[in-house]
Amino acid sequence: MMFRFFSILSCALFLAAATAGCGYKIGFIKHPQLDSIAVAPVINETEIYNAASDMRMMMSEAIMQDGTYKLSDLRRADAILYITVQNIAFGEAVRATVENEVEYRPDEWRALMIVTYKLIVPGQGKPLLSGRKEGHIRFQAGADVESGRLRAVRQVSYVTAQKIIQSITEGW
């Protein structure tokens, strides 16, 4: 009985020691001086309306989903993220269907978004981090192609925002 108790206790201590590790942290490594990020109003250089608001909303969502940094307002943030949407393009991903020599619209489209970003600590002119990211998605549009494109802008904004936050959290 006593032997069984000590064997269970030693196994428990071994498991506790093995899972304690050597002080390694699993997850992203954040900048040591930053705890919060704010997303400034996004600049839209495209002709797609709502691209700036969609990108800002999706960037905020990506920061919250990632969890490495806290999302903050512009006055209290440790760093401010400035984003410029430079290009949004749509193209045919899957060729159009043809029946009885009548060509229909494509079954699937693709969307591309190109943005530049700068992470600036308030009061400092030089960016802490800057770069250019591209996001790609494929989407299907129903009878109303314009509605499909507007939803695609939101989706490609989120994909691009995820790439930006990954660059920020892994950039140190």
Side-chain angles (χ1 to χ4, degrees):
M1 179 87 171
M2 191 60 111
F3 176 75
R4 185 177 183 104
F5 173 73
F6 283 117
S7 65
I8 293 173
L9 181 63
S10 64
C11 285
L13 289 174
F14 174 77
L15 287 174
T19 57
C22 300
Y24 293 110
K25 181 179 181 274
I26 296 173
F28 294 121
I29 300 172
K30 69 179 187 172
H31 191 280
Q33 297 171 338
L34 300 180
D35 287 321
S36 63
I37 294 177
V39 180
V42 174
I43 297 169
N44 182 14
E45 294 181 347
T46 70
E47 295 179 1
I48 308 294
Y49 59 93
N50 288 341
S53 63
D54 284 345
M55 185 63 207
R56 187 175 190 200
M57 178 177 54
M58 291 297 127
M59 190 68 236
S60 300
E61 178 71 21
I63 291 170
M64 291 188 304
Q65 289 292 323
D66 180 79
T68 304
Y69 296 103
K70 295 176 188 166
L71 184 64
S72 184
D73 61 45
L74 293 171
R75 290 172 292 185
R76 290 184 276 231
D78 296 330
I80 301 172
L81 182 62
Y82 295 91
I83 301 172
T84 302
V85 179
Q86 293 184 322
N87 189 16
I88 298 175
F90 299 99
E92 184 180 314
V94 177
R95 296 191 60 91
T97 57
V98 178
E99 290 181 23
N100 297 329
E101 298 181 16
V102 177
E103 185 172 326
Y104 297 97
R105 63 179 160 65
D107 293 330
E108 200 170 72
W109 297 83
R110 66 175 179 263
L112 161 73
M113 176 181 270
I114 300 172
V115 301
T116 57
Y117 66 94
K118 292 186 279 190
L119 186 66
I120 298 177
V121 175
Q124 294 183 1
K126 184 180 176 187
L128 191 59
L129 192 65
S130 63
R132 178 180 183 268
K133 291 292 175 194
E134 292 183 8
H136 306 270
I137 65 156
R138 292 171 77 151
F139 67 99
Q140 294 179 343
D144 184 8
V145 177
E146 188 60 27
S147 294
R149 285 183 176 192
L150 292 177
R151 285 190 303 276
V153 169
R154 188 168 285 175
Q155 292 171 353
V156 77
S157 294
Y158 186 68
V159 169
T160 308
Q162 286 178 318
K163 290 181 178 185
I164 292 171
I165 195 65
Q166 287 170 359
S167 293
I168 292 172
T169 56
E170 296 175 359
W172 317 112

